[in-house]
Amino acid sequence: TEIMDLNNIPNINILWATLIIEELVRNGVSDFFIAPGSRSAPLAIAAAQHKEAKKYVHFDERGLSFFALGKIAASKKPAALISTSGTAVANFFPAVIETSKKKLPLILLTADRPPELLNTGALQTIDQKQIYGKYTRWECEMPVPDPEIPAEMVLTTIDQAVFKAKYPEPGPVHINCAFREPLSLQEVAGEKPFYSRRMTQWIASVSPFTSYVMDGERAAYPMEEDILSKIQDKNGIIVVGKLGHDEERTAVLDVAKELNWPIFPDISSGLRVGFESDLLIPYYDKILGTTVLDRFDIDTVLHLGGRITSKSFYAYIKRKTPDNYITVLNHYLRNDPLHCVTDRIKSGILPFINSLLLQLKSNGSNPHLDYIRRCNRLIDQYYREFDAKQIKLSEISLARILSTHIPADN
């Protein structure tokens, strides 16, 4: 796609607006319906400068929004509406209701005043939060553009918005975008962006930052070639959140054995007690609390199940920025606090692993694994020696002792 030179953006407002429009285009949104206004100027400028965006401009928000509704119904593709702040936003409401009832994927980009101008009597300022009530499938309050907020956040928000506009039931989604001055192409000193390695890769590509892969609950399904290529013959780790039952836990051990990857089991995974495997690294949180693993390159993280409670894990991922971060969840919610997920797969754990095992070839030696195991054994040895020296029971030692005596069937 052809976008502005992201290394020569005049100010942070234009940068965020450019990222929003570009990511929408990458997600298949080609039609942009613009009702002119000053507060929405960054979004209008970004759309105007994008060569692949088709622009439709009309001064009346109500008429424009119904025109957009008809275009979406005819094309069967999501489209974006852009408005300035204030009552202009309310004029979209009748069309929002219609798109909700007709199940049409509409993305509403409404500009808003920054927080310091709300409830002050500033012109064209109303409370725009949840203005469309129950008629939206999803909504988001974007923060005021700030160089301290990673640009990835903008992209993953747009990816989630388009996904929610289409699945599980199509309909309107609302992104409320607050902007401070300047709203034009005016240069602002000190707002040159810093791009992470993942952002640099995104700029060089033509794909969305996070790709969503949908699947049903079949016993097995063809694994996406793109997903398989990010797992096969890669240096990676498996991190496991909350799982539903032991069949899923056993499947995790099976796929880890084929990949020869270590498993970092969250406390909610159910894998830390009652399961034996030399690939399980229950003390991963302690290991990642240091930088001893930073010397190793990690290509891929395969995140199975729910969210991870370890802060050390997320700090490690932030330092390493792996090329691929694949999550597998059986729901539509976005579990991505670092805005690093490259592939979001909606699937049950068992169907995904069964499909992967059908096509996966066993990986060879893993240079990271022996070192990680050795670190895990040393920490375990330290805790055992520490417990042996304790005369009285403590909360920590009691928890450890009980965990070793829980019967396998409990």
Side-chain angles (χ1 to χ4, degrees):
T1 56
E2 301 214 20
I3 58 177
M4 297 177 66
D5 182 356
L6 291 179
N7 292 311
N8 291 293
I9 294 290
N11 59 65
I12 191 70
N13 288 339
I14 299 298
L15 171 63
W16 278 34
T18 301
L19 295 177
I20 288 170
I21 301 301
E22 169 63 15
E23 194 70 347
L24 284 171
V25 171
R26 294 191 187 197
N27 275 283
V29 178
S30 57
D31 294 325
F32 292 81
F33 299 84
I34 305 170
S38 62
R39 189 60 55 172
S40 58
L43 293 167
I45 290 169
Q49 298 205 7
H50 200 298
K51 294 183 179 180
E52 294 185 21
K54 299 176 184 177
K55 280 76 69 173
Y56 304 87
V57 181
H58 188 53
F59 65 89
D60 177 63
E61 290 87 8
R62 183 185 173 100
L64 180 73
S65 59
F66 275 97
F67 177 48
L69 184 157
K71 193 74 164 59
I72 297 168
S75 68
K76 309 300 181 185
K77 292 175 56 180
L81 268 174
I82 297 175
S83 85
T84 191
S85 62
T87 54
V89 177
N91 287 329
F92 283 160
F93 206 167
V96 170
I97 295 172
E98 287 293 326
T99 52
S100 181
K101 293 294 185 181
K102 294 180 183 296
K103 299 178 178 61
L104 300 174
L106 172 66
I107 293 94
L108 296 131
L109 300 173
T110 59
D112 201 355
R113 298 299 180 103
E116 63 270 18
L117 291 181
L118 300 180
N119 301 307
T120 64
L123 292 175
Q124 283 301 306
T125 303
I126 64 172
D127 186 355
Q128 297 177 197
K129 296 178 181 178
Q130 301 181 337
I131 191 170
Y132 303 120
K134 65 180 181 181
Y135 292 102
T136 57
R137 303 292 187 264
W138 187 75
E139 61 182 81
C140 173
E141 291 290 324
M142 290 287 277
V144 175
D146 186 333
E148 294 298 316
I149 299 175
E152 292 92 332
M153 184 279 296
V154 180
L155 303 179
T156 64
T157 299
I158 297 303
D159 295 335
Q160 175 80 169
V162 177
F163 177 78
K164 289 288 188 179
K166 297 191 294 183
Y167 304 107
E169 181 180 73
V173 297
H174 179 205
I175 305 174
N176 198 46
C177 306
F179 292 110
R180 293 192 176 99
E181 300 279 355
L183 305 172
S184 65
L185 291 168
Q186 176 183 334
E187 291 272 356
V188 176
E191 287 193 350
K192 295 298 181 183
F194 167 78
Y195 297 128
S196 67
R197 185 164 61 89
R198 280 285 296 118
M199 273 299 298
T200 303
Q201 291 172 339
W202 174 84
I203 292 169
S205 77
V206 294
S207 302
F209 188 88
T210 301
S211 296
Y212 284 70
V213 179
M214 296 294 298
D215 186 77
E217 295 300 321
R218 290 169 287 167
Y221 58 93
M223 179 63 60
E224 297 275 345
E225 287 188 13
D226 182 55
I227 299 297
L228 188 62
S229 69
K230 294 175 180 179
I231 297 174
Q232 184 71 67
D233 299 324
K234 299 292 185 182
N235 290 325
I237 57 176
I238 297 175
V239 60
V240 186
K242 185 177 180 180
L243 298 177
H245 45 77
D246 283 352
E247 196 175 356
E248 290 182 344
R249 297 180 183 101
T250 301
V252 170
L253 299 180
D254 291 341
V255 76
K257 185 176 180 180
E258 288 297 307
L259 289 169
N260 205 24
W261 288 3
I263 302 170
F264 294 170
D266 187 76
I267 195 169
S268 63
S269 67
L271 279 167
R272 296 164 73 105
V273 175
F275 289 86
E276 296 293 333
S277 171
D278 61 355
L279 296 171
L280 283 169
I281 312 295
Y283 296 110
Y284 76 94
D285 179 77
K286 301 301 181 187
I287 298 171
L288 299 183
T290 70
T291 59
V292 296
L293 295 188
D294 287 7
R295 72 187 75 177
F296 298 120
D297 291 328
I298 297 295
D299 302 316
T300 299
V301 174
L302 180 57
H303 183 159
L304 303 173
R307 69 189 67 188
I308 306 303
T309 57
S310 168
K311 290 184 177 180
S312 297
F313 170 75
Y314 285 115
Y316 168 72
I317 295 301
K318 188 174 183 179
R319 294 195 305 271
K320 295 299 293 180
T321 60
D323 291 339
N324 311 303
Y325 194 112
I326 302 168
T327 67
V328 182
L329 290 165
N330 61 359
H331 60 69
Y332 299 95
L333 301 178
R334 179 173 56 155
N335 284 1
D336 187 14
L338 293 184
H339 306 286
C340 65
V341 173
T342 58
D343 299 272
R344 169 75 167 80
I345 300 174
K346 193 274 177 183
S347 171
I349 300 299
L350 277 178
F352 173 81
I353 291 179
N354 288 339
S355 175
L356 185 58
L357 288 173
L358 285 174
Q359 301 173 67
L360 193 64
K361 299 175 183 177
S362 297
N363 279 353
S365 61
N366 185 335
H368 312 165
L369 189 54
D370 287 341
Y371 185 81
I372 294 173
R373 285 172 177 153
R374 192 158 60 249
C375 291
N376 192 70
R377 286 195 299 269
L378 287 172
I379 295 173
D380 184 66
Q381 180 182 346
Y382 170 82
Y383 278 126
R384 290 179 185 278
E385 292 174 354
F386 179 82
D387 287 344
K389 296 176 183 178
Q390 300 304 301
I391 299 174
K392 296 182 179 179
L393 287 175
S394 66
E395 291 182 9
I396 296 175
S397 63
L398 183 60
R400 282 177 53 81
I401 292 169
L402 288 175
S403 70
T404 62
H405 288 79
I406 296 175
D409 56 350
N410 282 294

